[in-house]
Amino acid sequence: MPTKSPYPDIDIPDVDLWGFIFERKNRPFPDSQVVFRDVHKPDTRVYTFADVRKAAITFGTGLRSEWDWAKNEVLALYTPNDIDVPAIIYGTLWAGGIVTPANPAYSAEELAFQLKDAEAKALVTTVAYLDTALKAAAKCGIPTNRVLVLGEKDEQRRVKHWTQIVNLSRSSYYRRRKANPDKDLAFLVYSSGTTGLPKGVMLSHRNMVSVVLQNEGGGCYVYGRDKYLAILPFYHIYALTTIVHQMLHRGFEAVVMPAFEMKTFLKAIQEHRITMVYVAPPVIVRLARDPEAEKYDLSSLLNITSGAAPLTGELVHAIHKKFGIKITQAYGLSETSPTTHIQPWDEWLTALGSVGKLVPNMTAKYISEDGTEAAPGQPGELWLSGPNVFKGYWKNPTATAASITEDGYFKTGDVGFADDQHNFYITDRLKELIKYKGFQVAPAELEGKLLAHPNVADVAVIGVMDTVNHTEVPRAYVVAAADGAKTSEAGEEIVEWLSQQVAHHKRLRGGVVFVDEIPKSASGKILRRILKERAKKEGVKAKL
């Protein structure tokens, strides 16, 4: 039988995202509440709730009055985190548009792919990324006068600032375009591309309203006390939900970092008395190992929520022992807006390794390889149903049909199981499981163990094909510790060390390869396809 969330269903209002945030009658905080603060200019670059609303309306009016913005046209964001981003997002929604955020690490070719696929009509970036943005725009036919910058102005005057496209004499003529919550898209986010080209994930206004409310459970967040440090990238759905929308809905303040940098991160927690942080696992590893962290007062930090990949119990215990900070885990995907599971605060120790319990209004089931529903406690592919499940893949009905069942379940491609206390465990990606002579090997399990080795700062495990023995074998790509060796002898030592801790079929028969960094998506997920492409060139001499 499918598993329902242990929490009561909540009412999802039939409103679009703008109406949900800015037009509700029961908002428990004033217009003057600070919601976004720049970490580098905390006194001069600040947005209150009223500031965001005013700037968004002005920008939305500009889109319509200056560019004759049509309903459902797409605006692309190509920028690191900036406190201007929320106003631009909501201004686009006010004008009836759709936002597609892109990774600022993209090359011109990669950005052009997304712009063309999304049929973007305009692009907003920063001065630092303007050259690449203009190249990509040219490839897609987006004219230069439809490229804008946020943050600092372009002193060379190649493009306008985002605040400069409104004709105030005509602004009173326009009114907000309301969206159909279930049918109209708010965001077109692109999948991380772990197994191929990114796909556009269609997220409706109802998807986004639902997930914000589904995240509210537990009563652990306190208005007037909690302050967030925003290090997750705003171009990923993880941050769009937990930071951009949540801060505006709950009236919390977020101190915004353009990108993660360890000293800035630690200093911000200390100086702003940060209580909450959402992170990906690499940040947890840095906290546990970097001696710099011990130089700062992190006592205000009550909780860290980690997503994107499983954490080991050893790592969770290490952080708590060192700093007294609780770490809870959560789970979700771009296709689920993203949150589907959250670990309750009071169960962070009793369900170590769990990604939490289903959020309200969700149903799940595990499907075995034979297509039947797995028995309780038995592993299978996780299927999910709920109001936060996406509408499908953009211009890709074949992929949509392959991913969403007729009765509305999304096939996550993640393998795991649930226990009798409603805790869900994710063991690996279905397509990433390594098959060694018929045995299944989960890369995430080996990665969790390898992170405990003193010479492993970061790691990714993939299956590489041994053509001589006609089987896949596990190989570890390792970022060595700062003072660690990168020799073949050091790699052999890691192989032998792991062999003492795992079953025979889980040994690193593909060896250890030292690399400078592990390729990852914006949310911290390992891009295994890049490593697989590298492995094809390297070949394998397996040890059986």
Side-chain angles (χ1 to χ4, degrees):
M1 291 288 292
T3 301
K4 285 277 294 180
S5 168
Y7 305 109
D9 281 355
I10 55 178
D11 292 330
I12 309 297
D14 190 30
V15 295
D16 60 16
L17 191 52
W18 177 281
F20 174 68
I21 294 294
F22 292 112
E23 296 175 357
R24 63 177 174 145
K25 306 299 182 183
N26 60 342
R27 177 161 48 86
F29 57 89
D31 280 2
S32 59
Q33 171 65 41
V34 172
V35 283
F36 302 108
R37 187 184 301 273
D38 189 312
V39 70
H40 295 302
K41 298 179 180 179
D43 298 323
T44 57
R45 293 202 74 213
V46 175
Y47 274 93
T48 65
F49 179 85
D51 291 336
V52 176
R53 179 175 56 199
K54 181 179 179 181
I57 292 173
T58 301
F59 182 63
T61 302
L63 290 178
R64 297 193 62 189
S65 62
E66 297 301 291
W67 290 354
D68 195 25
W69 198 260
K71 187 173 182 179
N72 294 325
E73 284 191 332
V74 177
L75 179 140
L77 280 169
Y78 177 65
T79 171
N81 287 3
D82 190 282
I83 64 170
D84 287 347
V85 168
I88 293 171
I89 286 174
Y90 277 91
T92 305
L93 299 180
W94 186 93
I98 301 167
V99 176
T100 185
N103 188 339
Y106 277 172
S107 66
E109 290 72 22
E110 290 170 323
L111 177 59
F113 169 82
Q114 182 168 332
L115 295 177
K116 186 175 182 179
D117 190 71
E119 301 174 11
K121 302 299 182 183
L123 175 61
V124 180
T125 186
T126 65
V127 172
Y129 293 88
L130 183 56
D131 288 342
T132 302
L134 288 172
K135 290 178 183 176
K139 290 176 179 289
C140 303
I142 297 176
T144 301
N145 64 3
R146 287 289 186 103
V147 178
L148 305 172
V149 292
L150 53 74
E152 62 178 315
K153 294 183 179 180
D154 176 28
E155 297 300 330
Q156 298 180 37
R157 298 185 179 181
R158 290 168 293 178
V159 299
K160 287 184 177 181
H161 196 259
W162 72 280
T163 58
Q164 296 176 315
I165 65 159
V166 61
N167 185 332
L168 294 178
S169 65
R170 301 175 59 197
S171 61
S172 61
Y173 174 79
Y174 295 95
R175 295 291 182 268
R176 177 174 83 86
R177 281 193 176 117
K178 292 186 178 181
N180 181 307
D182 189 53
K183 294 182 179 179
D184 288 332
L185 303 185
F187 294 95
L188 186 58
V189 302
Y190 277 71
S191 64
S192 57
T194 54
T195 57
L197 285 174
K199 298 189 292 290
V201 176
M202 298 189 292
L203 298 174
S204 69
H205 286 257
R206 177 174 171 78
N207 289 151
M208 303 312 300
V209 170
S210 298
V211 80
V212 171
L213 291 173
Q214 288 168 304
N215 270 274
E216 280 195 332
C220 301
Y221 308 98
V222 179
Y223 171 69
R225 177 198 71 181
D226 288 331
K227 187 180 291 187
Y228 288 72
L229 183 56
I231 63 172
L232 292 173
F234 287 179
Y235 53 84
H236 191 272
I237 190 62
Y238 189 3
L240 284 176
T241 294
T242 60
I243 300 297
V244 175
H245 305 320
Q246 181 173 245
M247 300 303 105
L248 288 165
H249 185 253
R250 299 189 187 180
F252 295 145
E253 179 180 329
V255 179
V256 178
M257 289 178 61
F260 179 77
E261 194 279 319
M262 191 63 174
K263 288 186 178 180
T264 304
F265 172 76
L266 297 169
K267 184 180 178 181
I269 293 173
Q270 176 178 285
E271 293 186 351
H272 294 278
R273 305 304 294 165
I274 299 296
T275 62
M276 307 285 173
V277 186
Y278 292 100
V279 303
V283 175
I284 305 290
V285 175
R286 287 287 302 275
L287 265 181
R289 296 185 175 183
D290 196 330
E292 189 73 22
E294 298 179 38
K295 300 177 183 178
Y296 292 82
D297 177 10
L298 307 183
S299 60
S300 63
L301 198 54
L302 301 176
N303 180 261
I304 298 175
T305 298
S306 177
L311 291 176
T312 62
E314 291 82 1
L315 196 53
V316 172
H317 276 298
I319 292 293
H320 189 257
K321 182 178 180 180
K322 196 171 185 179
F323 303 108
I325 300 169
K326 293 181 179 180
I327 295 181
T328 52
Q329 297 195 60
Y331 171 82
L333 307 98
S334 296
E335 290 87 347
T336 55
S337 308
T339 313
T340 62
H341 297 71
I342 300 176
Q343 191 175 25
W345 279 20
D346 57 357
E347 296 181 15
W348 71 282
L349 275 178
T350 58
L352 282 175
S354 164
V355 297
K357 303 179 189 295
L358 278 171
V359 298
N361 300 60
M362 291 216 74
T363 305
K365 54 186 175 182
Y366 282 103
I367 304 299
S368 302
E369 286 188 353
D370 62 5
T372 62
E373 192 167 348
Q378 296 301 307
E381 181 186 4
L382 176 62
W383 291 10
L384 294 166
S385 175
N388 50 328
V389 172
F390 73 136
K391 305 298 292 183
Y393 293 111
W394 177 256
K395 299 188 297 185
N396 197 335
T398 301
T400 300
S403 299
I404 302 178
T405 66
E406 291 185 2
D407 55 350
Y409 278 89
F410 168 58
K411 303 175 183 179
T412 67
D414 282 332
V415 176
F417 64 94
D419 65 19
D420 57 5
Q421 298 299 312
H422 302 285
N423 299 304
F424 281 68
Y425 297 82
I426 303 299
T427 57
D428 225 302
R429 286 289 296 172
L430 188 66
K431 295 180 181 178
E432 293 169 357
L433 288 172
I434 301 165
K435 287 193 175 182
Y436 170 70
K437 292 188 174 182
F439 293 97
Q440 291 188 339
V441 181
E445 178 189 0
L446 301 187
E447 288 158 1
K449 293 183 180 298
L450 285 164
L451 282 171
H453 191 281
N455 195 28
V456 178
D458 201 1
V459 61
V461 175
I462 64 167
V464 293
M465 181 56 64
D466 173 18
T467 55
V468 175
N469 296 287
H470 303 284
T471 185
E472 278 189 311
V473 292
R475 170 179 291 172
Y477 286 85
V478 170
V479 177
D483 56 350
K486 303 179 183 179
T487 62
S488 58
E489 291 78 12
E492 287 291 336
E493 192 276 328
I494 292 173
V495 171
E496 293 304 317
W497 177 86
L498 184 68
S499 296
Q500 303 303 312
Q501 303 185 56
V502 297
H504 182 78
H505 66 279
K506 296 180 182 179
R507 295 179 180 178
L508 292 174
R509 290 175 170 81
V512 165
V513 177
F514 287 103
V515 293
D516 292 332
E517 65 177 357
I518 302 298
K520 294 180 179 178
S521 70
S523 65
K525 290 183 179 179
I526 297 168
L527 299 177
R528 299 185 198 274
R529 63 177 174 83
I530 295 177
L531 294 176
K532 285 181 178 292
E533 290 167 2
R534 171 175 175 157
K536 288 179 182 178
K537 299 175 183 178
E538 294 169 341
V540 58
K541 293 181 180 179
K543 298 179 179 179
L544 301 180

